[in-house]
């Protein structure tokens, strides 16, 4: 993690976004392509892989466990699968940087591997809650050490075979669901998870793509341990979470129009499109198609006047990573926007409710943080200095706010944008955002 070099963004006010852009590959699918490809029998070929620090942390972790992986070269990765029991004990701890997905999914995947592994992360990841995976995995007979606060570093101790579980998840979390499904691959009998609300289903879809049967009955997902994965080809679409910054930027900046190409529009990820449309956004899906088991489209977006809404609670898990950008849209909308039922935002890469509220207030917007959401009054954005707290999505969201601000915006601590969107600054500048990196 490149935290020695402090990077700030400086955005000159105004401008518009025009053009066609394919944003980098989907982060969730990139992580899973490495994990499943490594455990498969045979050679998995991946295209469209996200060459960001988070997915590279997963890739390097599997290299440390003896998996031969070529690439990434322009999004191409070749994984020589070692089979379900072929991972080797790594030399040292696996450093997962800023990546919550790597840590939670690997904890599940490794709990059943019968080897001793330590997982570490940066200061943000080391503060994030891990009890949500430790508790159910312990019930499966895993043995996982952590700090007293149930945070990383995590020590996974060798254990005899795990036992399947029938687990009612207390929160809507794709990471917890995926950790348990990955643990279930090596467990005795059936592992079933019931989710309180639908969350991203890439793990289930991809397991099936690797030939592993997964059963879904309403909100209950089951698989039986002891099977094998067969290598396959994976074509990763562009990440809707990265496309979101442009959906919002175009919507709020008069005279803007863009087409975001080849974006994954999986129905468990497309909440941002529903929310922005409810706010009046002009968004059109073109060339809808299916690529490797995932729905994909080109998304045309045109600037328009937005209005505030009550965000429907059922859309929260389907847009969970998109709220920092949605809050910027709300700041530029006519009237009030209210969000509830989103307490999960407080335990992301930063406390996204608090950090966004403070940043918006700095820019002259009335934003009232609540325990499980926020109330934002649309208004006139001013220039000013905001803190991203090292949170990639906060940094990119405030960058887009510059399009509507009356003065320059400086955003502190933006190096972690590389975790999910390498090349954000040149891409955004190409489209018309007046953004520059300032190295400190
Ligand atoms: C992810 C799931 C989400 C999301 C994260 C990626 C995944 O987390 O916020 O960025 O790839 O499974 P939760 O499932 O904890 O909400």
């Amino acid at each position: 993690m490149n935290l020695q070099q402090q990077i700030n963004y400086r955005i000159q006010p105004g401008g518009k976004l025009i053009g066609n852009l394919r944003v980098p590959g989907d982060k969730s699918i990139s992580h899973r392509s490495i994990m499943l490809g490594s455990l498969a029998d045979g050679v998995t070929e991946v295209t469209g892989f996200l060459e960001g620090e988070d997915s590279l942390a997963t890739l390097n972790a599997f290299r440390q466990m003896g998996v031969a992986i070529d690439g990434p070269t322009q999004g191409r990765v070749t994984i020589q699968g070692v089979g379900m029991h072929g991972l080797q004990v790594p030399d040292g701890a696996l450093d997962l940087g800023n990546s919550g997905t790597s840590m939670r999914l690997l904890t599940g995947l490794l709990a059943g591997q019968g080897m001793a592994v330590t997982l570490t992360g940066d200061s943000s990841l080391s503060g994030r809650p891990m009890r949500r995976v430790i508790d159910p995995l312990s019930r499966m007979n895993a043995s996982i050490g952590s700090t007293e606060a149930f945070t990383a570093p995590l020590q996974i101790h060798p254990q005899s075979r795990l036992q399947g579980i029938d687990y009612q998840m207390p929160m809507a979390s794709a990471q917890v669901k995926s950790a348990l499904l990955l643990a279930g691959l090596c467990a005795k009998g059936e592992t079933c998870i019931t989710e309180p609300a639908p969350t991203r289903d890439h793990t289930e879809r991809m397991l099936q793509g690797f030939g592993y049967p997964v059963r879904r009955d309403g909100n209950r997902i089951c698989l039986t341990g002891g099977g094998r994965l067969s290598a396959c080809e994976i074509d990763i679409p562009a990440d809707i979470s990265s496309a979101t910054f442009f959906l919002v930027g175009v919507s709020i900046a008069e005279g803007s129009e863009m087409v975001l190409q080849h974006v994954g529009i999986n129905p468990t990820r497309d909440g941002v499109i529903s929310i922005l449309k409810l706010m009046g956004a002009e968004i059109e899906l073109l060339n809808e198609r299916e690529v490797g088991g995932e729905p994909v489209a080109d998304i045309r977006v045109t600037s328009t006047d937005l209005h505030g809404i009550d965000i429907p609670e059922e859309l929260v898990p389907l847009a969970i990573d998109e709220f920092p950008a949605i809050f910027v849209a709300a700041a530029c909308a006519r009237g009030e926007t209210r969000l509830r039922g989103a307490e999960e935002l407080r335990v992301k890469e930063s406390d996204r409710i608090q950090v966004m509220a403070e940043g918006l207030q700095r820019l002259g917007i009335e934003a009232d943080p609540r325990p499980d959401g926020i109330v934002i009054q649309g208004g006139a954005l001013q220039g000013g200095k905001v803190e991203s707290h090292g949170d990639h999505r906060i940094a990119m969201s405030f960058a887009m706010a510059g399009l509507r601000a009356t003065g320059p915006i400086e955003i502190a601590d933006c190096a972690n944008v590389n975790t999910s969107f390498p090349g954000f600054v040149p891409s955004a500048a190409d489209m018309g955002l007046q953004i520059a990196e300032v190295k400190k």
Side-chain angles (χ1 to χ4, degrees):
M1 203 68 15
N2 181 15
L3 288 180
Q4 298 91 322
Q5 173 103 73
Q6 265 279 349
I7 291 173
N8 288 5
Y9 288 168
R10 209 167 276 158
I11 296 100
Q12 296 307 320
K16 56 188 172 183
L17 300 177
I18 304 269
N20 293 348
L21 179 67
R22 179 167 171 162
V23 298
D26 188 279
K27 184 149 77 73
S28 294
I29 301 177
S30 294
H31 283 298
R32 288 155 172 84
S33 70
I34 299 291
M35 295 179 189
L36 299 182
S38 295
L39 292 184
D41 299 315
V43 179
T44 291
E45 301 275 1
V46 184
T47 50
F49 184 80
L50 168 66
E51 299 183 31
E53 288 169 5
D54 275 12
S55 38
L56 291 173
T58 293
L59 187 152
N60 286 328
F62 280 89
R63 275 200 181 128
Q64 267 183 268
M65 293 188 285
V67 183
I69 305 176
D70 282 342
T73 316
Q74 292 181 328
R76 289 189 162 270
V77 178
T78 306
I79 308 157
Q80 313 284 335
V82 296
M84 210 60 101
H85 301 287
L87 295 178
Q88 293 164 18
V89 180
D91 277 349
L94 302 178
D95 179 0
L96 304 171
N98 191 243
S99 176
T101 308
S102 309
M103 186 163 288
R104 297 208 179 98
L105 270 59
L106 272 179
T107 303
L109 186 153
L110 295 175
Q113 288 286 325
M115 56 191 205
V117 190
T118 298
L119 306 179
T120 62
D122 70 7
S123 62
S124 154
L125 183 53
S126 302
R128 295 183 66 186
M130 293 297 148
R131 189 169 189 171
R132 52 182 61 200
V133 289
I134 294 173
D135 274 355
L137 288 168
S138 305
R139 282 170 53 185
M140 294 177 78
N141 205 25
S143 170
I144 301 164
S146 69
T147 67
E148 269 180 26
F150 294 94
T151 52
L154 302 183
Q155 294 87 28
I156 297 164
H157 303 297
Q159 203 61 3
S160 56
R161 201 162 169 204
L162 300 187
Q163 178 63 51
I165 191 177
D166 195 337
Y167 189 63
Q168 184 90 37
M169 249 189 337
M171 75 290 284
S173 167
Q175 292 183 348
V176 176
K177 171 178 66 174
S178 302
L180 300 181
L181 289 173
L182 293 172
L185 294 175
C186 290
K188 263 186 253 157
E190 216 181 30
T191 294
C192 291
I193 299 124
T194 305
E195 37 183 10
T199 64
R200 67 190 67 194
D201 63 359
H202 305 301
T203 304
E204 298 91 299
R205 284 176 189 249
M206 291 177 74
L207 280 169
Q208 276 160 326
F210 278 85
Y212 205 104
V214 178
R215 301 173 291 284
R216 172 179 271 279
D217 181 10
N219 275 0
R220 191 158 191 264
I221 303 125
C222 298
L223 58 72
T224 305
R228 302 196 71 84
L229 299 168
S230 322
C232 62
E233 287 185 5
I234 303 173
D235 181 356
I236 303 181
D239 197 326
I240 190 168
S241 298
S242 298
T244 289
F245 305 107
F246 294 94
L247 297 180
V248 168
V250 168
S251 295
I252 63 175
E254 206 183 332
S256 298
E257 177 168 354
M258 280 183 68
V259 175
L260 281 314
Q261 296 162 330
H262 204 76
V263 182
I265 52 157
N266 180 313
T268 60
R269 296 284 301 282
D270 69 355
V272 62
I273 296 178
S274 312
I275 292 169
L276 290 176
K277 278 188 169 173
L278 287 172
M279 297 176 79
E282 281 197 29
I283 295 176
E284 197 187 346
L285 300 184
L286 311 171
N287 306 321
E288 286 187 59
R289 53 205 183 266
E290 191 164 305
V291 178
E294 289 280 348
V296 168
D298 302 323
I299 307 180
R300 190 207 304 280
V301 55
T302 319
S303 58
T304 187
D305 286 333
L306 301 178
H307 54 82
I309 58 166
D310 275 343
I311 298 175
E313 260 187 70
E314 67 274 15
L315 293 178
V316 169
L318 311 181
I320 193 67
D321 290 337
E322 284 61 81
F323 283 104
I326 291 169
F327 296 168
V328 169
C332 297
R334 194 169 12 91
E336 185 173 275
T337 296
R338 284 176 292 266
L339 173 67
R340 310 176 70 170
E343 54 280 342
E344 279 293 305
L345 293 181
R346 292 201 175 269
V347 289
K348 294 293 178 188
E349 286 84 327
S350 70
D351 175 344
R352 287 183 173 161
I353 292 176
Q354 197 57 34
V355 174
M356 283 304 298
E358 283 168 13
L360 288 172
Q361 288 162 5
R362 282 279 184 95
L363 301 180
I365 298 292
E366 253 182 73
D368 179 13
R370 305 281 166 88
D372 69 337
I374 193 166
V375 180
I376 296 170
Q377 306 291 339
L381 277 166
Q382 302 159 10
K385 180 159 183 195
V386 296
E387 301 291 331
S388 76
H389 289 263
D391 185 325
H392 54 139
R393 300 200 197 282
I394 304 259
M396 290 184 273
S397 299
F398 279 123
M400 291 298 164
L403 291 158
R404 275 283 284 269
T406 52
I409 295 182
E410 175 139 353
I411 308 163
D413 207 2
C414 299
N416 279 342
V417 166
N418 280 332
T419 60
S420 68
F421 200 149
F424 171 72
V425 168
S427 289
D430 264 5
M431 297 299 114
L433 187 70
Q434 300 174 72
I435 181 169
E437 257 183 17
V438 187
K439 298 202 163 88
K440 294 272 157 173

